[in-house]
Amino acid sequence: MAHVAPPAGAPASGDAARKRGLVGYLLLAPAGLWLSLFFIVPMISLISTSLYDPSGSLETGYQMTGHVQNYATVLQEYDSQLLRSFLYAGLATFFCMLLGFPLAYAIAFKAGKWKNLLLVAVIAPFFTSFLIRTLAWQLILSDQGWVTQTFNALYLTDLFAALGLTEQGSLLYSPLAVVTGLTYNFLPFMVLPLYASLEKIDPRLHEAGADLYASPFTTFRKVTLPLALPGLVAGTLLTFIPAAGDFINAQLLGNTQTTMIGTVIQKLFDGGSYPEASALSVVLMVIIVVLVLFYIRRAGTEDLV
Amino acid sequence: MTRLGKWIGDHLILAIGLAVLFYMFLPIFVVILMSFNDPASKQSYSFDGFTWDNWANPCDEFGMCESVLLSIKIGLSATLGATILGTLMAFALVRHRFRGRAPANVFTFLPMASPEIVMGSSLLALFVSAGLSGQLGFWTILVAHIMFCLSFVVVTVKARLAGLDPRIEQAAMDLYANEWQTFWRVTFPLVFPGILSAALLAFSLSFDDFIITNLNAGQEVTFPMFVWGASLRGIPPQINVIGTIMFLLALTLVLVGELGARRRARR
């Protein structure tokens, strides 16, 4: 990782080092055009589709009637799935933080020469397909699996069932399984930005904290945590946003009571209800944008980009 | 108390970290194990017996190898497109000054901050509005994949470029290399590892995508779509063979790259 920091005294590669002129625009144009055509224009198309008259169909064509009622319909009909998506995504993000912080901290400060190898290990599980890994969780959490057997022997399944997290005597096809899968699938998106922030912290700051009679906990709270904040904010966003829109975990590890909003959108499109599906997509996007803006403002790190 | 605190700091965190890594690897062990499974029935959830058959004849599972080939074809095309467009954009953002550079920077981040289901459904809305609902297939998948891989390429190449000491290029110019020579003999070779890792990332993102692809694929079936369809009927063990091969292949590539970087650093 030695190439990252320019050597001390190097001229700042700020605006002064940048070339002016037409070439910049020419280099930017192809990708900019592609993103505009296939990211921005589709968003506009999505919004206009969400205002079509829902009585149309693909075969007969849709009428653009400014049918704002689509939004009222989907909000009324799918409010529980929306709420559940954000609840599960929030829980998964919280658990990713809980699991990801010690791992990122251990790699940054305790791994020594094994640092790079451990970083490879963090992303290695992701070399194989998302779906295949999620299907593996079906097997791990199945009723015959050793995890369920062990939990059963410890009466933990009874506890989970009493809390309404699972069905009696099993783990799979439950809210618990869905959140476990979401946490698992998005954990590296938490660990990597956290590691990037933690790695920049000079370990001598910890010693300085100890020298000034701060307990390890106080040093952590007053020194490590504030310096790790940019990574934590980036990590929570990279975990929360995809988790809120995901439906693979809810479909493969959950039951009919754990349906998330992604499934609903997917099914509405499959069933040909394009206006409602589009309206629901817009709602999801708007809620996420509002939450993210609010969160970034609260966290006080507007210079993420 | 402080000694205890120190011991905790030294060992407990490492132990928790390793436990978390175990959690991350657990499904991989299962995938590798199940690739040797001889299932008693289609709906079997357990390891019923050992066999080499799945490895010997992975294509026995009807339609699977065709879907893998399609995913490789799309993956390579999308990687080529996204890597070229993204690298050009990264150079523009790091090396050039122009009006609207800051918004362009934010713009590239947007696709990474959007849920896949929203990007997928908006593309479908566009294709349907354009009257292309009958033509969904290879080309619509490719267009979508280049779009969502682009941002990741830009970010990866940008990081490499920003870490480059501009004095190396100035030195080349001082030694009478013209701008063209400086670029191809100095800048490009130095940025190349970044471009390579961006390409690898793009390929794996494309190969693995399900949510966006599923909405825009029409009648085509990519490998993730095949896995999804198969999972509704019962998971064939051959899927785990492909999963294991993917895992080992990517791991080898990354470890070789890591070893190469280490050797170069020692020199």
Side-chain angles (χ1 to χ4, degrees):
Chain A
M1 301 272 139
H3 58 267
V4 175
S13 56
D15 265 0
R18 292 201 177 97
K19 291 169 228 157
R20 285 171 176 282
L22 212 63
V23 185
Y25 290 109
L26 285 177
L27 292 175
L28 191 72
L33 215 62
W34 198 280
L35 282 179
S36 310
L37 268 179
F38 301 118
F39 181 76
I40 300 294
V41 175
M43 289 286 173
I44 298 166
S45 185
L46 184 75
I47 294 170
S48 79
T49 306
S50 75
L51 297 172
Y52 285 172
D53 185 346
S55 59
S57 75
L58 267 188
E59 289 74 33
T60 59
Y62 287 102
Q63 299 271 303
M64 179 62 188
T65 51
H67 203 85
V68 192
Q69 292 92 315
N70 285 335
Y71 284 89
T73 316
V74 295
L75 278 175
Q76 251 162 26
E77 200 143 339
Y78 305 113
D79 56 339
S80 60
Q81 284 91 336
L82 262 174
L83 215 62
R84 191 180 296 129
S85 297
F86 289 110
L87 176 70
Y88 286 179
L91 282 172
T93 309
F94 173 73
F95 288 122
C96 280
M97 225 174 341
L98 219 59
L99 298 176
F101 208 100
L103 180 56
Y105 190 93
I107 297 175
F109 297 118
K110 307 287 173 197
K113 61 175 178 173
W114 300 103
K115 203 184 249 188
N116 281 354
L117 195 70
L118 283 180
L119 276 176
V120 171
V122 168
I123 50 167
F126 295 79
F127 295 158
T128 195
S129 157
F130 187 101
L131 279 166
I132 295 181
R133 278 179 284 123
T134 312
L135 286 171
W137 277 103
Q138 271 192 351
L139 286 147
I140 296 168
L141 298 176
S142 70
D143 289 353
Q144 302 98 303
W146 58 268
V147 177
T148 312
Q149 302 290 345
T150 315
F151 276 43
N152 256 330
L154 297 170
Y155 299 102
L156 279 170
T157 43
D158 296 327
L159 177 72
F160 290 149
L163 291 170
L165 297 175
T166 58
E167 299 289 322
Q168 194 71 42
S170 69
L171 296 173
L172 194 58
Y173 305 128
S174 67
L176 183 91
V178 177
V179 175
T180 304
L182 285 172
T183 306
Y184 167 79
N185 274 315
F186 298 108
L187 190 53
F189 296 101
M190 179 66 82
V191 175
L192 293 177
L194 260 180
Y195 165 79
S197 276
L198 286 171
E199 196 224 17
K200 289 188 202 133
I201 300 177
D202 190 335
R204 284 175 300 186
L205 284 177
H206 295 147
E207 291 162 26
D211 287 347
L212 295 165
Y213 301 106
S215 69
F217 179 70
T218 313
T219 311
F220 176 79
R221 202 166 50 89
K222 298 263 183 177
V223 178
T224 315
L225 207 53
L227 288 170
L229 198 63
L232 202 61
V233 172
T236 43
L237 292 179
L238 287 176
T239 313
F240 183 80
I241 297 171
D246 179 77
F247 63 81
I248 293 168
N249 287 282
Q251 283 294 95
L252 295 180
L253 305 174
N255 55 38
T256 49
Q257 300 303 308
T258 62
T259 311
M260 288 168 72
I261 205 65
T263 314
V264 179
I265 298 175
Q266 166 82 37
K267 290 218 164 118
L268 284 173
F269 271 119
D270 276 350
S273 314
Y274 283 56
E276 283 105 334
S278 304
L280 207 50
S281 258
V282 174
V283 168
L284 175 66
M285 189 70 199
V286 168
I287 297 179
I288 284 180
V289 167
V290 169
L291 283 177
V292 165
L293 287 179
F294 181 71
Y295 176 68
I296 290 178
R297 182 151 298 187
R298 279 299 299 269
T301 43
E302 269 145 341
D303 51 2
L304 267 181
V305 185
Chain B
M1 184 62 213
T2 41
R3 190 173 294 173
L4 182 69
K6 190 167 161 33
W7 191 88
I8 287 175
D10 278 353
H11 296 90
L12 191 66
I13 290 191
L14 196 58
I16 297 174
L18 291 176
V20 174
L21 266 185
F22 175 76
Y23 167 69
M24 296 175 77
F25 269 91
L26 195 55
I28 301 296
F29 300 143
V30 172
V31 169
I32 296 174
L33 178 71
M34 294 313 271
S35 74
F36 295 103
N37 190 20
D38 189 7
S41 75
K42 271 229 158 205
Q43 301 293 334
S44 171
Y45 272 126
S46 53
F47 192 80
D48 300 330
F50 183 89
T51 177
W52 288 105
D53 286 0
N54 312 320
W55 280 87
N57 311 302
C59 290
D60 274 5
E61 180 62 27
F62 180 75
M64 188 181 76
C65 286
E66 287 80 357
S67 73
V68 173
L69 279 179
L70 176 66
S71 278
I72 292 176
K73 214 166 93 185
I74 292 171
L76 290 177
S77 321
T79 302
L80 189 69
T83 308
I84 292 174
L85 296 185
T87 304
L88 293 179
M89 187 164 192
F91 267 95
L93 290 174
V94 178
R95 287 303 171 83
H96 292 269
R97 187 142 59 136
F98 51 86
R99 228 177 249 277
R101 204 170 60 85
N105 254 322
V106 176
F107 186 44
T108 48
F109 270 85
L110 283 179
M112 294 204 291
S114 309
E116 283 191 67
I117 187 83
V118 175
M119 289 193 279
S121 49
S122 58
L123 271 168
L124 179 60
L126 174 74
F127 292 142
V128 168
S129 314
L132 292 172
S133 58
Q135 267 94 50
L136 294 177
F138 180 84
W139 291 104
T140 48
I141 301 176
L142 183 60
V143 159
H145 282 208
I146 292 179
M147 186 273 290
F148 68 72
C149 290
L150 246 178
S151 309
F152 289 92
V153 173
V154 174
V155 171
T156 312
V157 178
K158 236 175 77 180
R160 179 82 194 181
L161 255 178
L164 212 75
D165 186 349
R167 288 180 303 182
I168 299 174
E169 286 159 291
Q170 286 158 14
M173 305 279 255
D174 286 347
L175 295 166
Y176 299 105
N178 63 30
E179 231 172 281
W180 192 247
Q181 287 168 323
T182 309
F183 179 79
W184 284 112
R185 301 240 179 123
V186 178
T187 317
F188 189 76
L190 283 171
V191 182
F192 189 67
I195 299 178
L196 203 63
S197 40
L200 271 176
L201 182 64
F203 184 81
S204 58
L205 285 170
S206 162
F207 193 87
D208 202 20
D209 182 73
F210 173 69
I211 296 181
I212 297 177
T213 312
N214 190 38
L215 280 166
N216 294 291
Q219 300 301 312
E220 298 282 1
V221 179
T222 63
F223 180 60
M225 289 170 71
F226 177 85
V227 175
W228 179 261
S231 76
L232 305 175
R233 305 186 297 266
I235 315 154
Q238 286 87 348
I239 280 179
N240 293 311
V241 173
I242 302 293
T244 307
I245 293 175
M246 278 163 67
F247 174 72
L248 294 178
L249 209 66
L251 191 67
T252 313
L253 273 175
V254 170
L255 287 180
V256 165
E258 183 66 28
L259 275 178
R262 203 166 274 195
R263 195 163 300 161
R264 254 175 282 127
R266 213 174 289 151
R267 232 184 265 153

